Amino acid sequence: MEELIYADRSGRGKLRFTGPQRAWFLHQIMTQAFEDIAPGEARETAMITAHGRMLGYMEVVATDDALLAHFEPDLLATLPDEIGRYVFATRVEIEDVSADMGLVLVAGEAWSRASVDAAVVHPTSSLGIPAAYLWVPVQDVDATIAAVEAAGARRAGEDELEAIRIANGVPRWGYEMDSKTIPQEAGIETRAVHFDKGCYLGQEAMAKIQFRGKVNRRVAPIQSEDGLERGADVVSEGTTVGRVTSAAGGRGLALVKHTVVPDTLVSVGDAPARVVG
């Protein structure tokens, strides 16, 4: 994507982890490795139960003295408390900075042209195209947006961002992922799960699925010339085999049974559709 776009996503939940054991702490409770994270590096991670079900999903960036994490707004009611349960005597401080920090998303091949010197730059794969979040104090969001616009960026609405994400097959919490989802069902294990690190919460379940088992569902792209509607059933030969989890016009993502192979003809509502991946 050559065009430069931006969006104010300051409504996302945000946590700041500080203290000498901040990386070790996340390393012990999250699916991703954090002990070797370097300043400026970004990683995605999930928090799961002992049975492998997801409690939340977040993106993390390291600074010289902190780890900054952001996540979908609806996780604010649960994820911080789930994380806080495991602090015990660990030398880590967790601060909810959702009201104090803003997030401006910039996307496009030349997104770095729109970066702001005072911002913490947080690369993200959440749209499936080159992009980054800019962390700034909430009072500096307007000035940051003005600087981004001066660099040639155009404001994009959430519908446009969703269409980009869906076209690139990127799962999102609240859509393809929720508290009933196992990471491998959403297809995030290659970027948010570390299979070689030591013990962590839910590791045994992850390892069993990855190396000795399989999941019964998967996220797949789906298309229909008649348009798609989120929540609609996906039917093959009279049997419901999944449901549409995200939709933008004739493109969508669906959580389908693992037996549904690419190029399968299905119906969504009364319309013909095709599982294309």
Side-chain angles (χ1 to χ4, degrees), residues 1 119 162:
M1 182 174 177
E162 276 294 274

Side-chain angles (χ1 to χ4, degrees), residues 73-96:
D74 63 351
L75 282 170
L76 263 171
T78 57
L79 187 56
D81 287 341
E82 290 288 351
I83 294 172
R85 288 174 54 199
Y86 294 94
V87 172
F88 303 120
T90 309
R91 290 178 295 165
V92 60
E93 290 76 46
I94 306 172
E95 181 183 4
D96 185 342

Side-chain angles (χ1 to χ4, degrees), residues 194-210:
H194 196 290
F195 289 101
D196 296 327
K197 72 170 186 169
C199 185
Y200 63 91
L201 182 64
Q203 182 203 27
E204 184 177 357
M206 284 294 92
K208 284 182 177 179
I209 293 169
Q210 189 70 11

Side-chain angles (χ1 to χ4, degrees), residues 34-270:
F34 285 100
E35 283 192 318
D36 61 344
I37 193 169
E41 188 177 355
R43 296 181 183 178
E44 299 174 48
T45 189
M47 188 175 189
I48 60 176
T49 69
H51 300 290
R53 303 291 178 183
M54 294 178 68
L55 295 168
Y57 191 80
M58 64 187 194
E59 299 182 48
V60 182
V61 67
T63 68
D64 290 333
D65 58 1
L67 293 173
L68 301 175
H70 66 81
F71 43 86
E72 293 290 345
D74 63 351
L75 282 170
L76 263 171
T78 57
L79 187 56
D81 287 341
E82 290 288 351
I83 294 172
R85 288 174 54 199
Y86 294 94
V87 172
F88 303 120
T90 309
R91 290 178 295 165
V92 60
E93 290 76 46
I94 306 172
E95 181 183 4
D96 185 342
V97 293
S98 301
D100 303 316
M101 298 295 292
L103 282 176
V104 178
L105 174 69
V106 290
E109 292 290 343
W111 68 260
S112 60
R113 190 178 74 225
S115 62
V116 177
D117 289 342
V120 173
V121 178
H122 187 161
T124 179
S125 63
S126 58
L127 297 180
I129 61 174
Y133 283 97
L134 304 179
W135 287 79
V136 295
V138 68
Q139 64 268 21
D140 293 340
V141 167
D142 289 344
T144 301
I145 287 174
V148 167
E149 289 179 338
R154 170 183 62 81
R155 183 186 291 269
E158 286 297 322
D159 287 346
E160 181 178 355
L161 297 178
E162 276 294 274
I164 294 171
R165 177 184 72 85
I166 291 166
N168 287 289
V170 181
R172 182 178 182 182
W173 180 268
Y175 294 79
E176 289 70 44
M177 300 180 275
D178 58 25
S179 60
K180 298 178 181 178
T181 309
I182 295 170
Q184 286 94 333
E185 292 176 330
I188 62 169
E189 69 276 11
T190 58
R191 67 174 190 264
V193 181
H194 196 290
F195 289 101
D196 296 327
K197 72 170 186 169
C199 185
Y200 63 91
L201 182 64
Q203 182 203 27
E204 184 177 357
M206 284 294 92
K208 284 182 177 179
I209 293 169
Q210 189 70 11
F211 301 116
R212 291 193 289 171
K214 62 178 177 60
V215 290
N216 294 321
R217 306 181 299 170
R218 68 183 184 92
V219 172
I222 187 170
Q223 294 181 2
S224 173
E225 293 184 0
D226 296 314
L228 295 165
E229 183 177 348
R230 183 185 175 200
D233 287 339
V234 178
V235 178
S236 176
E237 299 180 347
T239 300
T240 298
V241 295
R243 64 180 177 85
V244 178
T245 51
S246 296
R251 285 181 170 178
L253 297 176
L255 195 60
V256 299
K257 291 182 178 180
H258 75 282
T259 53
V260 179
V261 299
D263 210 35
T264 297
L265 294 175
V266 296
S267 61
V268 178
D270 296 324

Side-chain angles (χ1 to χ4, degrees), residues 3-14:
E3 185 182 19
L4 190 61
I5 59 175
Y6 79 90
D8 183 357
R9 282 190 161 178
S10 298
R12 291 177 65 80
K14 310 173 201 75

